[in-house]
Amino acid sequence: MIAIPPAELKRLLVADGVVDEAIFEAAAAEGRRMAIGVEEILVSRNAITRQYLLDLLARFFGVERVVLAGRAIPEDVVQAISEDVAREKRAIVFAKGDDGSFHIAMENPVDLQAIEYLKRALKAPVIAYLASPEDMNYGFTFYGKRSADSFQKIIEENIAASLRLRAEGAKEAADEVPIVAIVDTILSYAISSRASDIHIEALENEVLVRYRVDGILHEIARIPRSVHPAIVARVKLLANLKLDEHGKPQDGRFRYTLGVDSTDTRVGIMPTFYGEKIVMRLLTAAARPQSLEELGFLDDHIALLKENAKKTYGMLLVSGPTGSGKTTTLYSLMSLLNRPDVNIVTIEDPIEYDMKYVNQTQVNPAQGITFASGLREIVRQDPNIVMVGEIRDGETADIAVQAALTGHLVLSTLHTNDAPSAVPRLFDLKVLPFLAAAVLNVILAQRLVRKICLSCITSYKPDAAAVSFLEAQFKLLKVGEGVKAPTLMFKGAGCPTCNGTGYKGRIGIFEMLDATEEVRRIVAAPDFNLDTLYTETRKVGMVTLFEDGLRKVERGMTTVEEVLRVIRE
């Protein structure tokens, strides 16, 4: 995105009274070290807001701002330039003036070279507006909506070709133009739809294509079984997997490029009754670890996390089911801890973000690198902070505990339903109670809930039946005394921005167990009882997942229905 020169940015911010020189210089130093713009550091630290930054950019460069989110863009207008050109130039045509000029949203509306190119391509005058990256992504979804029709058209046009492909070898089938086009369309449409996962599933008579968007699976298309072997072969070829292996699971990855945007794609292939199932996890290559505020942490949880992050030894665990955002939280914590005087080393499966100045190691069983063996070597690398992607077995747990006891801060994840349950899980992994009590600093449980779409958010007062239902849930979920049903709630009415769902994006809801002295005593007790631990954590003020969800319901961030959905899963 366009940036103001640091000296000018400093002058403007100080003149506006937003930050003082000391705060700016500290952020600038951190930005230089991390190779990140100072403005991004200031936003992540809540020194300035994203909205203020965009307004400041527009003012400094003398351009108008445009908000695309929620705006209906005519298909013939957005299609005035191709998706490849739009992504390469980071430009979306969103309107056409009466004088024949094209109004274009850009992340860099003073890029004269790009503007001249667009003038020549459109053969018309161009008026450039400043848009946020989020607005640009919204604009790109209009190409995705058209891709849905293109997808079906590609399938229909190539059914006949697929019959011929079946008679050829897997390698030849995977390289044929129709199959390449089908797989490219599946990937590009998924990226435009903000999907996190692609599922390609073999059924008895057809193949089902589904995308997971904001945690929910949506059916996208059904295609003939005749093209399934060639699609599987194409994905295997991209991920460098064995084309002739059909009876064993395989895992791989590849990078998919759309315009100038790159997406790291993790591939898992599993044999099923009707054929091999493909699941592709999409990870934006340029993604950055989010701040704790962006993840959805509220002030009390942020304060507790930062307090424990200052400790030089011990263990910070994040628990929750698969897909609940545990690794993303760990990356945000590492970003917070990533300083010049600290050596951070990780062992991960997979490496989801490339973090500057963090020594990251990928698990590779074929080369003898497991969590346990990698962690054993990591402690010889003079680390201050160790991140273990997941504690899966007793050997990894034992080495992690020993590292936490000997002057290292260990960050890791476990699969448990809530924060207190992480303690008996450690016992199951043969961690001795007195050692668990000695190393635990804080245990964080989390889930991901969908955010209410800000383009169509509305408020309403819950009726008596809704309040009665919610109060019944309070009893079932053991909500603390004094918590009452919100008198005002919010929901999304449904609009083009959220494809009519009322939700757009996700945030976390959290439960945080602080290892106080009394908690440590309960954990180390010979007659450990989970109920006793739960009672003590409630006594010292632990906010449960449901209660944290209610706090976000009251703030208009999500809905009661969404919180209950993820709590019950």
Side-chain angles (χ1 to χ4, degrees), residues 111-321:
D111 183 346
L112 299 180
Q113 188 175 359
I115 290 171
E116 283 301 318
Y117 176 90
L118 293 169
K119 283 181 181 177
R120 291 195 301 271
L122 294 167
K123 298 178 181 178
V126 164
I127 302 174
Y129 295 76
L130 174 67
S132 69
E134 291 74 21
D135 279 311
M136 296 301 297
N137 289 335
Y138 170 79
F140 291 137
T141 64
F142 283 88
Y143 290 103
K145 290 168 185 173
R146 182 182 176 91
S147 294
D149 298 329
S150 301
F151 180 81
Q152 296 295 344
K153 184 177 180 181
I154 291 171
I155 297 299
E156 292 168 5
E157 289 177 350
N158 292 289
I159 288 176
S162 71
L163 297 176
R164 176 176 58 82
L165 295 177
R166 285 191 302 169
E168 300 177 357
K171 175 68 167 62
E172 291 75 14
D175 284 333
E176 285 285 348
V177 171
I179 295 302
V180 172
I182 289 171
V183 174
D184 280 352
T185 302
I186 290 173
L187 285 162
S188 62
Y189 184 34
I191 292 167
S192 296
S193 302
R194 299 182 299 107
S196 61
D197 301 86
I198 302 170
H199 292 238
I200 302 175
E201 307 164 62
L203 306 180
E204 183 177 6
N205 299 312
E206 56 195 346
V207 176
L208 179 64
V209 179
R210 297 193 289 175
Y211 294 165
R212 188 177 295 281
V213 180
D214 292 336
I216 305 296
L217 274 173
H218 301 272
E219 181 177 326
I220 302 302
R222 291 174 181 259
I223 60 180
R225 276 187 58 88
S226 57
V227 299
H228 180 254
I231 288 175
V232 172
R234 176 62 185 169
V235 174
K236 286 181 177 179
L237 191 66
L238 289 170
N240 198 27
L241 301 177
K242 296 178 181 178
L243 298 181
D244 57 350
E245 177 59 74
H246 305 288
K248 295 180 181 178
Q250 295 191 71
D251 296 306
R253 66 189 303 153
F254 63 91
R255 176 164 288 188
Y256 180 75
T257 301
L258 183 62
V260 295
D261 299 320
S262 294
T263 301
D264 284 329
T265 306
R266 276 168 44 197
V267 177
I269 297 182
M270 171 71 75
T272 67
F273 187 75
Y274 291 113
E276 291 172 284
K277 175 179 176 177
I278 303 169
V279 175
M280 291 183 275
R281 167 65 58 87
L282 305 176
L283 302 164
T284 303
R288 60 171 178 82
Q290 295 173 288
S291 68
L292 297 177
E293 290 84 0
E294 289 173 310
L295 294 181
F297 284 95
L298 299 181
D299 290 345
D300 55 340
H301 282 162
I302 290 174
L304 186 56
L305 272 178
K306 287 185 175 180
E307 178 186 337
N308 280 280
K310 293 176 184 177
K311 297 179 179 178
T312 57
Y313 65 92
M315 187 175 285
L316 191 157
L317 294 176
V318 183
S319 71

Side-chain angles (χ1 to χ4, degrees), residues 417-419 445-447 509-511 543-550 563 567:
N417 289 327
D418 55 26
Q446 68 178 70
R447 301 288 190 279
I509 57 174
F510 306 97
E511 175 178 292
V543 178
T544 66
L545 286 165
F546 183 56
E547 290 167 356
D548 191 50
L550 281 180
V563 172
I567 292 293

Side-chain angles (χ1 to χ4, degrees), residues 358-485:
V358 174
N359 303 282
Q360 298 170 269
T361 302
Q362 167 74 49
V363 166
N364 187 349
Q367 299 296 323
I369 303 174
T370 63
F371 278 118
S373 65
L375 181 55
R376 189 178 293 109
E377 184 56 38
I378 280 174
V379 296
R380 302 188 185 108
Q381 296 292 312
D382 187 31
N384 299 102
I385 298 168
V386 176
M387 193 278 264
V388 185
E390 183 183 344
I391 296 178
R392 297 177 179 174
D393 53 66
E395 186 181 7
T396 306
D398 179 60
I399 303 169
V401 166
Q402 294 302 320
L405 282 169
T406 54
H408 307 92
L409 181 62
V410 177
L411 314 177
S412 193
T413 70
L414 285 175
H415 285 260
T416 64
N417 289 327
D418 55 26
S421 298
V423 174
R425 175 59 181 148
L426 288 175
F427 296 166
D428 289 341
L429 295 170
K430 309 304 180 187
V431 175
L432 296 174
F434 76 92
L435 291 178
V439 300
L440 285 176
N441 290 342
V442 67
I443 302 172
L444 170 68
Q446 68 178 70
R447 301 288 190 279
L448 292 176
V449 295
R450 290 181 292 172
K451 293 193 295 184
I452 296 173
C453 174
L454 295 180
S455 297
C456 60
I457 187 171
T458 60
S459 63
Y460 68 98
K461 290 187 176 181
D463 57 25
V467 172
S468 177
F469 171 77
L470 197 52
E471 288 175 345
Q473 300 304 309
F474 289 176
K475 294 179 182 178
L476 289 173
L477 297 168
K478 300 178 181 179
V479 172
E481 295 181 8
V483 177
K484 298 184 181 299

Side-chain angles (χ1 to χ4, degrees), residues 340-375:
D341 59 337
V342 168
N343 178 24
I344 303 178
V345 187
T346 77
I347 177 74
E348 308 173 56
D349 185 24
I351 295 172
E352 294 191 11
Y353 298 95
D354 178 16
M355 292 194 73
K356 200 174 183 66
Y357 303 115
V358 174
N359 303 282
Q360 298 170 269
T361 302
Q362 167 74 49
V363 166
N364 187 349
Q367 299 296 323
I369 303 174
T370 63
F371 278 118
S373 65
L375 181 55

